[in-house]
Amino acid sequence: MNPNRPPDPDAHDLPVEVRVPLQAIRGRGAATAMPHRFSRDVREVVDDGWHHGSAPADAGPGSESDGDDDALPALATTVHFENARSALSANDSPDISFDLSVNPYRGCEHGCIYCFARPTHSYLNFSPGLDFETQLIAKRNIAEVLRHELSAPRYVPKLINIGSNTDCYQPIERELRLTRALIEVMRDARHPFSLITKSSAVERDLDLLAPLAAQNLCAVYITVTTLDAQLARCLEPRAAAPHRRLRTIRTLVEAGVPVGVSVAPQIPFLNEDMEHVLEAAYDAGARSAFYTVLRLPWELDGLFKEWLEVHYPQRAARILARVQDLHSIDAAQRSAGKSYDANFATRMKGSGLWADLLRQRFAGACRRLGLNRERVELDLSQFRPGLTRGQGSLF
């Protein structure tokens, strides 16, 4: 700009762009529909001054923006149906205990903000944020495809887990019953399996699970991240409350189903009650336990930072720094914005001093309580593929 040039009386200053503060959405974990990593366009919400109930950024108490009228409305859930071409996914990760998995749903209405599966929604051209919780994919033919795969001549029985990616008992299962159909196929083939869930809806299928457990053909794992109901409501907005999950553990155990507890993920300075969770789960009847640390692959890194900005802004920097410590992120990587290392050897339990301390806490609590003293060995020898084709058995 030429300082000697007289000012143009018709010139106007450009309007100041005001970013709309992130706000929690009732019943949802993510605060935004964050663009996925394949998006060509990135949009950011700004305040144009016309939003109903908006007020200047410096408005104080009693301004028009105060009160419940500004609460963002709840978002509806949409279910899309697809025909699966395959049911079983092979696992070649050395840090995972099962060989195969089957997932009847993509996306999860529980809305757990820490879910490592969120970035997989990007492959569907959906946001890993709100779309992961509201745009769900149901594999309507998953049971038929599984039956076909188990009866294939080349199939060799291996440990199968149901719901390793997204919760197999999320709310839409009540109506769609895809998980129940999978369990019926497993029963018909006498194929052992485990499943993991946060939902009390698993109790509905005790008529299937209890007889299978008596034959050493199934085990259930219940995730209890924290006993703090308020924290759980923020972390896992549509999952069962912590006390309800403990009751589910007790109900399953009383029916003869072996139950383990997952206290994953461990998030520094948030769910610091791991020992209390393990003790409560043991009292309810769980006899095995495991944990992982928080993982932040791909878009999940940004989503979790947004969540911290909404719910725990004063702790955000401290939490993120400790997460980086757990994954041994050095100073140069931190400057580049890296928070997570996907190395198979360390991604689940972390590495370094803080990871070692967490490992010691977990091991000490399990030793004191008597958890993990005996391992449930499911019986692969009972597999009868012919039963899935309607053939009888001589045994």
Side-chain angles (χ1 to χ4, degrees):
M1 181 177 179
N2 185 351
N4 297 320
R5 183 178 178 180
D8 184 353
D10 295 326
H12 299 283
D13 292 333
L14 292 175
V16 177
E17 188 175 274
V18 179
R19 186 178 174 215
V20 175
L22 292 176
Q23 202 172 350
I25 299 174
R26 187 177 298 111
R28 300 298 178 184
T32 68
M34 173 179 285
H36 58 74
R37 59 189 179 278
F38 307 116
S39 297
R40 293 184 178 181
D41 300 319
V42 177
R43 295 176 173 84
E44 185 173 346
V45 178
V46 297
D47 185 0
D48 59 5
W50 289 102
H51 181 265
H52 174 71
S54 63
D58 59 351
S63 65
E64 193 174 349
S65 63
D66 274 6
D68 294 336
D69 290 342
D70 272 348
L72 296 180
L75 297 179
T77 299
T78 301
V79 180
H80 309 270
F81 292 91
E82 73 171 14
N83 290 321
R85 289 178 291 181
S86 62
L88 293 171
S89 297
N91 164 50
D92 58 1
S93 302
D95 53 354
I96 297 178
S97 60
F98 51 85
D99 303 299
L100 299 168
S101 64
V102 56
N103 292 278
Y105 305 107
R106 302 176 193 256
C108 184
E109 198 173 2
H110 283 165
C112 306
I113 192 58
Y114 53 73
C115 181
F116 64 86
R118 282 183 177 272
T120 63
H121 240 43
S122 301
Y123 299 117
L124 306 174
N125 200 28
F126 283 133
S127 164
L130 288 171
D131 285 352
F132 181 80
E133 308 170 35
T134 61
Q135 303 294 327
L136 309 181
I137 312 296
K139 305 174 186 179
R140 56 186 160 200
N141 66 332
I142 191 71
E144 291 81 1
V145 175
L146 178 64
R147 188 180 298 275
H148 174 74
E149 292 181 357
L150 294 184
S151 62
R154 295 183 179 180
Y155 177 75
V156 177
K158 298 179 179 179
L159 292 177
I160 292 179
N161 178 267
I162 302 177
S164 61
N165 211 38
T166 57
D167 202 304
C168 57
Y169 281 103
Q170 59 181 285
I172 59 174
E173 166 63 18
R174 294 191 186 98
E175 178 182 350
L176 300 183
R177 302 169 72 89
L178 297 181
T179 298
R180 183 176 177 88
L182 290 174
I183 295 174
E184 289 173 340
V185 173
M186 298 287 198
R187 175 202 60 191
D188 294 346
R190 299 183 64 77
H191 196 300
F193 66 94
S194 62
L195 63 85
I196 184 167
T197 182
K198 297 181 179 74
S199 176
S200 60
V202 65
E203 297 173 14
R204 177 201 66 187
D205 293 336
L206 268 175
D207 61 315
L208 298 174
L209 296 173
L212 290 170
Q215 301 169 64
N216 210 23
L217 289 174
C218 83
V220 174
Y221 295 87
I222 303 295
T223 298
V224 185
T225 317
T226 178
L227 298 182
D228 183 336
Q230 183 176 354
L231 174 58
R233 176 70 64 87
C234 295
L235 278 173
E236 312 151 336
R238 296 202 176 191
H243 73 273
R244 186 64 182 88
R245 297 182 220 181
L246 293 172
R247 196 166 84 197
T248 295
I249 292 175
R250 189 178 302 278
T251 299
L252 292 170
V253 169
E254 289 175 350
V257 178
V259 179
V261 62
S262 163
V263 290
Q266 288 297 302
I267 307 174
F269 308 118
L270 277 183
N271 55 338
E272 293 281 89
D273 58 344
M274 178 177 66
E275 290 85 353
H276 297 294
V277 174
L278 291 171
E279 184 173 358
Y282 182 85
D283 290 344
R287 289 299 176 264
S288 62
F290 71 91
Y291 79 97
T292 66
V293 298
L294 177 66
R295 298 159 53 193
L296 296 174
W298 298 105
E299 297 93 339
L300 187 55
D301 184 25
L303 284 166
F304 187 70
K305 289 174 181 175
E306 284 187 349
W307 182 86
L308 288 174
E309 182 181 338
V310 172
H311 296 283
Y312 295 95
Q314 295 179 333
R315 281 191 239 175
R318 188 180 176 204
I319 290 170
L320 290 171
R322 185 56 53 81
V323 170
Q324 291 170 324
D325 290 339
L326 287 170
H327 293 287
S328 297
I329 306 299
D330 61 32
Q333 292 172 319
R334 296 183 192 214
S335 298
K338 186 175 182 179
S339 302
Y340 167 66
D341 184 358
N343 188 313
F344 281 144
T346 59
R347 63 175 184 166
M348 293 296 191
K349 298 292 193 294
S351 61
L353 173 64
W354 296 109
D356 289 342
L357 289 174
L358 188 60
R359 191 177 294 109
Q360 291 170 22
R361 285 177 56 197
F362 177 80
C366 289
R367 187 167 53 250
R368 175 175 58 84
L369 294 167
L371 287 163
N372 294 333
R373 288 185 178 173
E374 296 182 7
R375 183 174 178 178
V376 175
E377 295 287 349
L378 300 180
D379 188 1
L380 292 167
S381 69
Q382 297 186 49
F383 177 57
R384 297 291 183 270
L387 297 178
T388 64
R389 298 188 291 266
Q391 299 176 8
S393 173
L394 298 177
F395 303 98

